[in-house]
């Protein structure tokens, strides 16, 4: 039986206070706007980072910024599946970028947030990358965009054009200067997508901008011109700064190469790292980046791509500010995980360290009491699903594995004793609570970092006698595998 069908009688079209009691005279229901960014780490301006993100920063000034938010899994597909289903990889079975959670045991019965809102009478609309794949340009939507979640999906490209300008005749990054591959089909992902630089196209010619424009145009519709004046759930996914780090020239001009600081990569940083975590598939690529003098250029490309993504966010926020829905729309901004540029011998995500797992999260709703506040407690992106339901005054289904942030939104000082737990890969975990990040690998080896004293996680203090108590406190939160049923 589809358990989601049992929820319909419990759902109302009312907004409620954060304490959960419905008002005497229900106001018009909130709309919901999700803004999802791909592979953007914690370098945003509002978090003190080196990027220039004035539009994201202005949303943080209106809402609540969660600086200590973490993905459930530092890879696009598992992270986005966890966000939209409210369930961990141990439950959904989605541990890799390949595949579709719907094809896993129990997957077809899982009720995503947009599905739940559809059942309550919401119109659900997507543009860009929300699940692992966007809808695409083909007549039929990509199955991994989860068409069942949406009443409508914007057809079109995402990201930016221009990738071919940076590839050799065999499809490899030119800067690598590699010999011809024995089989072009076996070119490693990073050898193809690990490129950065300006493109000749304008921002208006880029798929990400067009998705943002679509959202802004959607928000200009008058309520009486939309289907039965339904409330809407709109999700917009911006693909940059995901690889390749390409953006129009104007964004590179903002970051002259000689003014881009090199990433801080201490030579002895890996000396206290367990053998199981010394390298991964990206480590040889990191070595190539360093040896061929590309590290500063790569950082410039990442910052330029972040600036381009931020302008796309600005387009969306301006559309909302000038719309009839500006006073009746919840906004949730998040990135699916972090990103590393050579940090601890890694490229992109795929690690349990903070730079790969920490993801900016901002929640705004009209009339919030603590606009512009910052919350430093550890939270999970899986908490978004139950939080939205609380803000809408809806019953939270029992299958959700995140915990609502409504209490924190109502009181930034409210204590939260539940850590954020990250899996990568299967059977390896990070548990983050307050300033601590405890990492336990499947072979029993450990890492422990204190983010107040060591924000860059340069010193593993797992073996220090004075830290045994904190490890004992965090270890019980390590997930147990389930039978992957609802």
């Amino acid at each position: 039986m589809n358990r989601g069908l049992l929820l319909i009688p419990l759902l109302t079209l009312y907004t409620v206070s954060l304490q959960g009691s419905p008002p005497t005279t229900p106001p018009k229901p909130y709309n919901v706007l999700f803004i999802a960014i791909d592979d953007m780490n914690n370098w945003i301006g509002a978090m003190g980072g080196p990027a220039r993100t004035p539009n994201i920063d202005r949303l943080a000034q209106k809402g609540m910024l969660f600086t200590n938010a973490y993905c459930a899994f530092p890879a696009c597909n598992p992270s986005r599946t966890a966000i939209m289903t409210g369930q961990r990889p141990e439950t959904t079975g989605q541990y890799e970028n390949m595949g579709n959670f719907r094809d896993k045991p129990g997957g077809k019965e899982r009720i995503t947030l947009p599905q739940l809102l559809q059942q309550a009478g919401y119109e659900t609309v997507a543009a860009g990358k929300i699940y692992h794949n966007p809808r695409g340009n083909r007549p039929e939507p990509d199955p991994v965009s989860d068409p069942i979640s949406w009443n409508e999906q914007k057809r079109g490209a995402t990201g930016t054009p221009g990738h071919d300008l940076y590839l050799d005749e065999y499809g490899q990054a030119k800067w690598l200067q590699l010999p011809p591959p024995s089989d072009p089909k076996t070119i490693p992902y990073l050898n193809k997508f690990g490129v950065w630089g300006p493109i000749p196209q304008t921002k208006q010619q880029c798929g990400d901008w067009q998705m943002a424009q679509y959202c802004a145009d959607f928000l200009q519709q008058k309520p009486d011109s939309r289907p039965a004046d339904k409330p809407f759930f709109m999700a917009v996914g911006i693909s940059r700064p995901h690889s390749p780090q390409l953006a129009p020239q104007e964004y590179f001009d903002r970051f002259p190469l000689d003014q881009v600081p090199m990433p801080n990569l201490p030579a002895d940083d890996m000396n206290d790292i367990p053998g199981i975590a010394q390298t991964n598939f990206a480590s040889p690529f990191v070595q190539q980046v360093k040896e061929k003098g590309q590290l500063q250029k790569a950082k410039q490309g990442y910052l330029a791509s972040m600036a381009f993504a931020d302008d796309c966010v600005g387009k969306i926020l301006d559309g909302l500010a000038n719309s009839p829905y500006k006073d009746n729309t919840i906004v949730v901004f998040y990135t699916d995980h972090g990103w590393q540029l050579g940090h601890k011998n890694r490229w992109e995500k795929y690690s349990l360290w903070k730079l790969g797992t920490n993801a900016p999260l901002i929640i705004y709703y009209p009339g919030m009491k603590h606009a512009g506040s910052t919350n430093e407690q550890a939270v999970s992106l899986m908490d978004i699903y139950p939080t939205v339901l609380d803000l809408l005054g809806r019953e939270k289904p029992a299958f959700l594995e995140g915990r609502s942030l409504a209490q924190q939104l109502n009181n930034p000082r409210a204590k939260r004793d539940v850590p954020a737990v990250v899996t990568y890969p299967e059977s390896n975990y990070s548990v983050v609570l307050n300033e601590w990040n405890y990492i336990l690998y499947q072979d029993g080896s450990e890492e422990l970092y204190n983010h107040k004293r060591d924000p860059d996680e340069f010193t593993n203090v797992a073996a220090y006698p004075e830290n045994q108590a904190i490890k004992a406190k965090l270890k019980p939160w390590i997930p147990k595998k389930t039978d992957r049923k609802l």
Side-chain angles (χ1 to χ4, degrees):
M1 176 181 291
N2 187 332
R3 288 183 60 187
L5 298 178
L6 300 178
L7 297 172
I8 295 177
L10 301 175
L11 300 176
T12 69
L13 286 177
Y14 305 155
T15 57
V16 299
S17 69
L18 290 175
Q19 286 74 24
S21 56
T24 304
T25 304
K28 188 176 181 179
Y30 282 139
N31 304 299
V32 181
L33 173 62
F34 272 23
I35 304 174
I37 311 295
D38 203 350
D39 281 25
M40 183 181 285
N41 66 17
N42 56 19
W43 286 2
I44 65 171
M47 293 175 69
R52 298 173 192 169
T53 53
N55 296 296
I56 297 170
D57 300 347
R58 68 174 158 123
L59 179 61
Q61 286 300 312
K62 290 183 61 178
M64 182 175 288
L65 170 64
F66 293 85
T67 60
N68 212 19
Y70 292 84
C71 61
F73 195 103
C76 297
N77 196 346
S79 174
R80 290 164 182 266
T81 296
I83 292 167
M84 301 306 284
T85 65
Q87 296 179 315
R88 297 196 54 78
E90 289 77 16
T91 300
T92 67
Q94 190 62 54
Y95 287 103
E96 299 178 345
N97 273 340
M98 298 296 293
N100 185 344
F101 77 94
R102 293 293 187 189
D103 298 329
K104 309 289 184 183
K108 289 181 172 55
E109 288 74 40
R110 299 197 190 282
I111 307 298
T112 66
L113 176 58
Q115 282 182 283
L116 199 66
L117 295 183
Q118 279 179 345
Q119 294 173 7
Y122 274 66
E123 178 188 12
T124 62
V125 182
K129 182 178 175 181
I130 304 302
Y131 293 90
H132 184 50
N133 289 355
R135 182 212 183 280
N137 242 326
R138 294 177 296 183
E140 295 299 319
D142 188 307
V144 184
S145 71
D146 204 45
I148 195 173
S149 285
W150 312 109
N151 298 119
E152 178 183 338
Q153 290 193 78
K154 164 65 175 169
R155 182 173 173 177
T158 56
T160 65
H163 186 196
D164 58 314
L165 300 174
Y166 290 88
L167 302 179
D168 64 20
E169 60 184 304
Y170 308 106
Q172 305 170 121
K174 289 180 181 178
W175 67 266
L176 281 166
Q177 300 176 326
L178 294 173
S182 56
D183 181 356
K185 294 181 180 179
T186 64
I187 295 175
Y189 168 83
L190 286 174
N191 287 3
K192 181 175 182 179
F193 289 94
V195 299
W196 31 82
I199 58 174
Q201 289 85 358
T202 64
K203 62 186 178 184
Q204 290 82 4
Q205 294 173 301
C206 296
D208 277 350
W209 184 267
Q210 292 161 12
M211 294 298 164
Q213 181 69 62
Y214 172 82
C215 177
D217 292 344
F218 177 93
L219 293 168
Q220 300 313 303
Q221 299 178 81
K222 294 181 179 180
D224 58 7
S225 69
R226 295 185 49 256
D229 195 16
K230 286 185 175 183
F232 62 78
F233 172 81
M234 165 164 264
V236 187
I238 305 302
S239 292
R240 291 294 172 267
H242 190 286
S243 298
Q245 280 75 52
L246 307 175
Q249 181 68 54
E250 64 173 292
Y251 297 100
F252 279 80
D253 292 342
R254 298 181 190 180
F255 302 93
L257 186 61
D258 61 358
Q259 298 177 26
V260 175
M262 291 284 283
N264 184 18
L265 306 176
D268 62 350
D269 189 26
M270 301 301 287
N271 290 356
D272 56 2
I273 303 300
I276 192 173
Q278 283 289 322
T279 62
N280 78 348
F281 73 93
S283 300
F285 181 83
V286 173
Q287 191 63 29
Q288 290 288 310
V289 171
K290 293 178 178 178
E291 290 178 355
K292 296 187 177 177
Q294 291 290 315
L295 193 55
Q296 192 175 28
K297 292 180 181 179
K299 185 174 180 181
Q300 180 196 39
Y302 192 72
L303 292 172
S305 297
M306 284 187 70
F308 168 64
D310 180 74
D311 269 10
C312 294
V313 172
K315 185 68 176 177
I316 298 166
L317 294 179
D318 288 345
L320 178 61
N322 296 313
S323 80
Y325 312 104
K326 64 180 180 179
D327 297 323
N328 200 45
T329 299
I330 297 165
V331 181
V332 180
F333 169 94
Y334 61 90
T335 73
D336 53 358
H337 42 66
W339 210 85
Q340 299 157 118
L341 293 92
H343 172 256
K344 292 194 184 296
N345 215 13
R346 298 295 194 271
W347 204 259
E348 294 198 344
K349 44 270 188 179
Y350 309 116
S351 85
L352 293 172
W353 297 302
K354 182 175 181 178
L355 196 57
T357 59
N358 186 209
L361 171 63
I362 303 170
I363 299 176
Y364 160 79
Y365 58 92
M368 64 187 301
K369 294 190 296 185
H370 300 284
S373 59
T374 296
N375 191 295
E376 298 180 354
Q377 298 183 77
V379 303
S380 171
L381 296 183
M382 289 195 310
D383 300 334
I384 293 173
Y385 193 150
T387 301
V388 169
L389 295 182
D390 266 350
L391 291 174
L392 296 177
R394 307 188 182 284
E395 195 79 17
K396 295 190 292 292
F399 61 72
L400 294 181
E401 295 174 340
R403 177 175 291 194
S404 174
L405 301 173
Q407 188 176 17
Q408 282 65 44
L409 290 167
N410 197 45
N411 176 11
R413 296 185 178 181
K415 186 176 180 181
R416 183 179 171 90
D417 57 3
V418 177
V421 181
V422 185
T423 302
Y424 181 79
E426 185 176 358
S427 302
N428 299 270
Y429 306 101
S430 159
V431 181
V432 183
L433 182 64
N434 301 323
E435 71 271 29
W436 294 101
N437 179 18
Y438 172 61
I439 297 173
L440 178 65
Y441 296 104
Q442 60 185 349
D443 66 353
S445 56
E446 301 172 309
E447 295 176 52
L448 183 69
Y449 299 97
N450 185 304
H451 290 159
K452 286 187 177 179
R453 300 171 190 162
D454 180 23
D456 296 314
E457 298 186 327
F458 289 149
T459 304
N460 175 14
V461 296
Y464 291 20
E466 64 269 26
N467 294 331
Q468 301 314 299
I470 189 64
K471 289 197 304 180
K473 179 179 180 180
L474 298 179
K475 194 169 185 177
W477 290 96
I478 297 297
K480 304 293 189 296
K481 287 188 179 181
T482 74
D483 59 4
R484 297 178 184 171
K485 294 179 181 178
L486 286 178

